[in-house]
Amino acid sequence: MQEILDAILNDASGPELQGLPLPETFRAATVHKEDVELFAGLLSEEKDPKKSIHIDQVPIPELAPDEAVVAVMASAINFNTVWTSIFEPLPTFLFLDRLGRESVWGKRHDLPYHIIGSDASGVVLRTGSAVRNWKPGDRVTIHCNYVDDQDPTAHDDSMLAANQRIWGFESNFGGLADLTVVKANQLMPKPAHLTWEEAASPGLVNSTAYRQLVSKNGAAMKQGDVVLIWGASGGLGSYATQFALNGGAIPVCVVSSPQKAEICRSMGAELIIDRTAEGYEFWKNGEQQPSEWKRLGKKIRELTGGDDPDIVFEHPGRETFGASVYVARRGGTIVTCASTSGYWHEYDNRYLWMTLKRIVGSHFANYRESWEANRLIERAAIHPTLSRVYPLDETGQAAYDVHRNLHQGKVGVLCLAPQEGLGVRDPDLRAKHVDAINRFRDR
Ligand SMILES: NC(=O)c1ccc[n+]([C@@H]2O[C@H](COP(=O)([O-])OP(=O)(O)OC[C@H]3O[C@@H](n4cnc5c(N)ncnc54)[C@H](OP(=O)(O)O)[C@@H]3O)[C@@H](O)[C@H]2O)c1
């Protein structure tokens, strides 16, 4: 592996990289099937990813014709890494088992360990015989929509494919490793002005926020829309806030501390609600509190000069959903992609039907949407929100930070990259945007 890394660091050509032998094993962050009962009886918040995430040497799987082997320079933590590591809501081995029953190639994924991670930047080392658009030496980022394109259901919107999966969550060989094997239709060009760790970090959340907020498959945000964004300095929210500002909308950012409010302000948002300072209690003794929804609605109108949100960007779920449905404007859209605080949502349906609101479900993004979202990063119209970077050996700690909501924006992980700051090929573009690129660093 050292030889491959040295070659990458020395800008070796594609043919040179192709000529180097692949190692038999590689380093990877995994969870183990034998550990799935590790946290039995504990509350979610007591479960510790440091105990379940291992760093193992694992063998390289055989390469399918439509796949590529990528040397992973950097990856990042997503909340799905947290879910996998605490075995909630299900152990992800169930997904691997199902994939294993699908085909000969799927069978490779059904292993007693799961290599986790749904983001990566790196360099293509090998391509399968059916790959047309990529070659060894290409510098790439990887999106996590893992789709079987032989299925007719994949050919309208690939997120509607009957066997659509999230790479590194519902498939094996994820990005938190020194090597990964991915479908060629997961590859996208690495933004040349970013370091490896910066380039890796937007992947999953940037594409998700793009579909959820911007795409016609999500809320189709337009200029002037008021957008209420929960967790506006978090993984998804930090991109939703940028998309709103970039697209001429008016974000109302909800955060939980003055420090997070400051980050939103520095992105250019003006309307900010600190939910801790406001002390909202949407639930009390197991009951929803409509008076608290109203208090939030009043606060939003105070900030906007009387407007209700055209769009509510939802993901906290049970805790906030009743309030989100209530505060959306007449005819507005509540677009949801998650249920961090619980997936049994409760809301007053009178506020939905009588005022003609819509709830839209959204999940990751198709290749085209991911490509568009990546293109905005390449053009420096949207910036990474990387706050902290850990080495691969400390993936457990990195996931712990995200699980405990101790982080801002995105938490990165160095895989093969020996240090931060490498991989930039367009220093001029970087220099123009360096403050925005570093906005979340060390917060
Ligand atoms: N379907 C998909 O494709 C998809 C893709 C990405 C993520 N997700 C899911 O979306 C969720 C968020 O992901 P993320 O990467 O943005 O996570 P994150 O980085 O942890 O950010 C989420 C933010 O939400 C806020 N929040 C958390 N609990 C809350 C609550 N009870 N009430 C109000 N606000 C709350 C927090 O911000 P404050 O403390 O500042 O308010 C937190 O920083 C996760 O469940 C993840 O699995 C789904």
Side-chain angles (χ1 to χ4, degrees), residues 37 51 101 117 120 163 212 289 295 328 351 390 422 435-436:
E37 293 301 327
K51 296 193 172 137
R101 281 185 272 116
N163 58 1
Q212 189 174 352
Q289 302 297 311
R295 199 156 71 81
Y351 293 114
Y390 286 93
L422 304 175
D435 291 343

Side-chain angles (χ1 to χ4, degrees), residues 78-80 83 166 204-205 208 230-237 254-257 260 275 315-316 319-320 337-341 362-364 402 405 407 409-410:
N78 284 292
F79 220 92
N80 71 6
W83 295 127
I166 298 294
L204 185 148
V205 283
T208 306
W230 292 102
S233 71
L236 286 170
V254 187
V255 290
S256 63
S257 70
K260 291 182 172 188
R275 65 183 173 101
H315 51 87
E319 186 73 27
T320 54
C337 77
S339 293
T340 314
S341 64
S362 190
H363 186 43
F364 189 61
V402 174
N405 198 13
H407 67 301
K410 293 292 300 178

Side-chain angles (χ1 to χ4, degrees), residues 147-185:
V147 175
D148 175 358
D149 59 10
Q150 293 178 33
D151 194 308
T153 55
H155 287 270
D156 179 6
D157 166 9
S158 61
M159 285 306 296
L160 298 182
N163 58 1
Q164 184 279 329
R165 293 184 164 87
I166 298 294
W167 161 67
F169 180 62
E170 293 163 294
S171 80
N172 216 323
F173 317 124
L176 287 160
D178 288 342
L179 289 180
T180 187
V181 171
V182 295
K183 287 187 182 284
N185 63 16

Side-chain angles (χ1 to χ4, degrees), residues 245-268:
L245 289 165
N246 215 27
I250 303 154
V252 179
C253 295
V254 187
V255 290
S256 63
S257 70
Q259 193 194 12
K260 291 182 172 188
E262 185 44 43
I263 293 183
C264 292
R265 238 172 247 119
S266 76
M267 281 191 279

Side-chain angles (χ1 to χ4, degrees), residues 120-122 134 139-143 186-191 199-200 202-203 374:
S121 65
W134 304 93
R139 293 154 70 102
V140 294
T141 57
I142 300 176
H143 77 77
Q186 291 178 251
L187 300 176
M188 307 188 292
K190 174 192 170 288
N374 187 62

Side-chain angles (χ1 to χ4, degrees), residues 292-409:
E292 289 292 272
W293 307 344
K294 289 180 185 164
R295 199 156 71 81
L296 172 67
K298 193 160 167 262
K299 179 78 191 172
I300 295 168
R301 284 184 181 177
E302 261 171 48
L303 291 173
T304 60
D307 292 334
D308 296 327
D310 298 273
I311 300 168
V312 181
F313 186 86
E314 244 295 334
H315 51 87
R318 182 171 173 79
E319 186 73 27
T320 54
F321 205 80
S324 293
V325 171
Y326 176 79
V327 299
R329 79 156 171 82
R330 182 176 274 264
T333 302
I334 302 97
V335 63
T336 173
C337 77
S339 293
T340 314
S341 64
Y343 46 80
W344 286 101
H345 296 186
E346 217 176 84
Y347 61 89
D348 185 334
N349 202 34
R350 291 169 297 178
Y351 293 114
L352 191 83
W353 100 71
M354 289 297 288
T355 42
L356 301 108
K357 302 177 187 181
R358 295 184 310 142
I359 294 173
V360 174
S362 190
H363 186 43
F364 189 61
N366 61 36
Y367 194 10
R368 178 61 190 255
E369 289 162 336
S370 297
W371 190 280
E372 295 295 330
N374 187 62
R375 181 167 156 268
L376 289 167
I377 304 255
E378 274 189 286
R379 296 178 67 90
I382 298 288
H383 302 289
T385 62
L386 191 65
S387 59
R388 237 186 134 170
V389 180
Y390 286 93
L392 183 67
D393 289 344
E394 291 174 36
T395 300
Q397 180 64 48
Y400 177 94
D401 285 5
V402 174
H403 184 216
R404 300 295 197 273
N405 198 13
L406 302 173
H407 67 301
Q408 319 285 356

